[in-house]
Amino acid sequence: MTRVTLLAGGVGGARLAHGLDLALGPDDLTVVVNVGDDTTLHGLEISPDLDTVVYTLAGLNDEDRGWGLRGETYATLQQMGRLGEDTWFTLGDKDLATHVVRTARLRAGTPLSEVTAQIAASLGVRPRIIPVTDDHLATFVDTPSGRLGFQEYFVGRQHADAVLGLHFEGADDARPAPGVLDALTGADLVVVAPSNPFLSVEPLLAVPGVRDALASTRARRVAVSPIVGGQAIKGPAAQILESLGHEVSALGVARLYTGLVDVLCLDRVDSLLAPAIADLGLDVLVTDTIMGGAEGRERLARELLALA
Amino acid sequence: MTRVTLLAGGVGGARLAHGLDLALGPDDLTVVVNVGDDTTLHGLEISPDLDTVVYTLAGLNDEDRGWGLRGETYATLQQMGRLGEDTWFTLGDKDLATHVVRTARLRAGTPLSEVTAQIAASLGVRPRIIPVTDDHLATFVDTPSGRLGFQEYFVGRQHADAVLGLHFEGADDARPAPGVLDALTGADLVVVAPSNPFLSVEPLLAVPGVRDALASTRARRVAVSPIVGGQAIKGPAAQILESLGHEVSALGVARLYTGLVDVLCLDRVDSLLAPAIADLGLDVLVTDTIMGGAEGRERLARELLALA
């Protein structure tokens, strides 16, 4: 048995979680998920990264679009528009069920971690999915136009603004959700998903205790580079690395994670960067990191598991 | 200009409101609506009677079914069932938009009367629709199986229980919503809709000030009997009249409303009851009261308007 803990944002984290779920036994995987992207819209509590991970592990996600559920309809959102609501944030009818249920249970006093476990169980998800915290944690993005809420930056303005800095509101007072620190200290392998280092991984590490648990665990720790061939697999990771003064490459990613992980996993197209990454004191795993389909995900997962 | 105020429950009130809207000018009709049926499900604030009136006046209601919106889908409710929610109360996708929007605006501090006005305006409704109160008012039904919440009695158990009594929780402390008392005292004609006298009209009158305003207004006051040929047009009005010891007829209804209205409007099939109703001191209007379609509604409305 290899106990694995994955630190995950949205799509990249969800895909690797899927691969690890295929490669591991039913009780061996814990996924600790970013909640900095969470937002309240129409009075509903929305947790995009948690939902992407849960939907993907349930086999219900929309692969083509990268978010939400397959086969969605939009009757409620359309009617909400008619009632004068701002509908820039797309919410499908089935997806809304998650938000309505989550909101009702949170308001009734159930913590987010427990609500997430309930939803995951209802959808037949096997791995343990834990939000990094049950407390308020909200990512804000500093741009030339000022400080923007995450979803305003990401969805509303299509992550077109230069990112000058990040602010994780509530992080100082947030406590790790039950099981988060144990999942890090008790794992055989900790994997940092190929998620955005600033928007997905940084808010996880900003919760007091998480960075220390990652630094001090006896688990082998590996990060998968989200930058392949100088480009982000998805989303604005490349622009953000650049605007914050980092090299837009797997080497730039390796520098960010030095001291936090033992191994950097990079794509074959970046194999020339391996020596420079090794010079940072990191072990290097060179493989195919683009996870197209279940087979590719499981193969990458098995290569990472071999590190433990 | 004839200023008309209609006291309404759900379907019967909505149909007569539609007829009055067709017969009157844009600013002449106010509909004061029961909120005793309101309930909270899945954390959402649901106001069945308000919605039936608004949807009907907007021309969006499902005529065949008698409640909800035409052309509904149920993707969200079905998914909520999958997430472990109890889905005995049917909520369509478009209807859910109303509940989500109402809940969000109520939580943000907007009173129900204002939220209702916003929703009605968004859907192009002309008459003024006012909940009888912005405060908590919840109808409970005493049955041989104990006291039941209204929707548990009505939808959950299909109004099959004998009704031994009614309780309007919060009524003593409820204040009439802005405009309710003025609408009664300032009207030329007050119409009590052919709604259930106990489940729809009683909770309206239970709000302090409303019964007095109806008793003291200088408006002509007419009630339309919801009992035709000894049967309720819709719902459990007949059983409730019987189990509470009243005669199940337009005469039984007339006795309930004696002292509150000047005129009882009854259906032609009940014309033999007219003398007995007149003996109660009420004027009698005998006409066709079954409102099938817009024409029948407008015709009945015009006959009632002729009383003013």
Side-chain angles (χ1 to χ4, degrees), chain B:
Chain B
M1 181 178 105
T2 307
R3 288 160 303 173
V4 178
T5 296
L6 176 68
L7 296 177
V11 176
R15 288 180 179 166
L16 189 48
H18 183 204
L20 289 164
D21 186 32
L22 293 169
L24 286 165
D27 301 318
D28 299 345
L29 177 60
T30 300
V31 189
V32 176
V33 182
N34 172 40
V35 294
D37 303 5
D38 289 13
T39 191
T40 308
L41 286 170
H42 318 291
L44 300 174
E45 303 299 334
I46 297 172
S47 297
D49 283 354
L50 281 172
D51 290 347
T52 296
V53 171
V54 169
Y55 293 165
T56 300
L57 290 174
L60 300 171
N61 61 309
D62 187 320
E63 283 288 340
D64 298 333
R65 200 169 51 180
W67 51 271
L69 290 157
R70 259 199 319 280
E72 270 288 19
T73 51
Y74 300 91
T76 303
L77 191 73
Q78 192 177 13
Q79 186 72 7
M80 285 169 69
R82 194 166 175 183
L83 295 177
E85 294 286 299
D86 201 346
T87 57
W88 58 276
F89 194 98
T90 302
L91 294 167
D93 293 325
K94 287 193 285 188
D95 188 36
L96 268 164
T98 305
H99 310 316
V100 168
V101 165
R102 175 167 44 226
T103 303
R105 295 182 188 175
L106 288 173
R107 293 250 160 83
T110 310
L112 180 62
S113 53
E114 194 170 328
V115 174
T116 303
Q118 291 168 354
I119 291 172
S122 292
L123 297 178
V125 170
R126 302 191 314 170
R128 188 167 178 208
I129 317 292
I130 319 180
V132 67
T133 181
D134 285 329
D135 298 325
H136 176 70
L137 175 65
T139 299
F140 284 81
V141 182
D142 290 325
T143 75
S145 306
R147 182 166 283 184
L148 305 174
F150 179 80
Q151 294 301 343
E152 185 187 357
Y153 157 78
F154 197 81
V155 179
R157 299 165 67 108
Q158 300 277 302
H159 48 74
D161 299 83
V163 174
L164 307 177
L166 293 156
H167 174 68
F168 305 112
E169 184 182 273
D172 291 348
D173 299 320
R175 293 155 298 176
V180 167
L181 297 186
D182 289 347
L184 289 167
T185 55
D188 301 303
L189 180 72
V190 174
V191 182
V192 179
S195 298
N196 191 304
F198 301 100
L199 298 178
S200 298
V201 180
E202 271 293 311
L204 290 168
L205 301 177
V207 174
V210 174
R211 187 183 292 270
D212 287 348
L214 181 60
S216 64
T217 180
R218 280 177 299 177
R220 188 105 159 125
R221 303 160 302 175
V222 53
V224 182
S225 174
I227 302 289
V228 174
Q231 299 194 317
I233 300 168
K234 190 170 185 302
Q239 299 101 289
I240 297 179
L241 274 162
E242 185 168 23
S243 67
L244 293 179
H246 301 282
E247 184 176 313
V248 185
S249 72
L251 176 59
V253 172
R255 289 191 181 121
L256 292 174
Y257 289 140
T258 299
L260 283 170
V261 302
D262 309 298
V263 186
L264 195 86
C265 173
L266 67 162
D267 198 84
R268 285 189 206 287
V269 303
D270 294 319
S271 57
L272 288 176
L273 298 170
I277 293 171
D279 284 348
L280 297 171
L282 293 169
D283 291 341
V284 180
L285 171 65
V286 179
T287 184
D288 294 322
T289 64
I290 307 289
M291 296 172 279
E295 263 181 60
R297 295 172 191 181
E298 183 174 352
R299 183 202 40 75
L300 177 59
R302 289 194 185 282
E303 292 196 59
L304 296 170
L305 291 174
L307 298 168

Side-chain angles (χ1 to χ4, degrees), chain A residues 14 18 47-63 65-70 72 91-99 102 119-120 123 125 129, chain B residues 79 83:
Chain A
H18 183 206
S47 297
D49 283 354
L50 280 173
D51 290 346
T52 296
V53 171
V54 168
Y55 294 165
T56 300
L57 289 174
L60 300 171
N61 61 307
D62 188 319
E63 284 288 339
R65 199 170 51 179
W67 51 270
L69 290 156
R70 260 198 321 280
E72 271 288 22
L91 293 167
D93 293 324
K94 288 192 285 187
D95 188 36
L96 268 164
T98 304
H99 310 316
R102 176 168 40 227
I119 291 172
L123 297 178
V125 170
I129 318 290
Chain B
Q79 186 72 7
L83 295 177

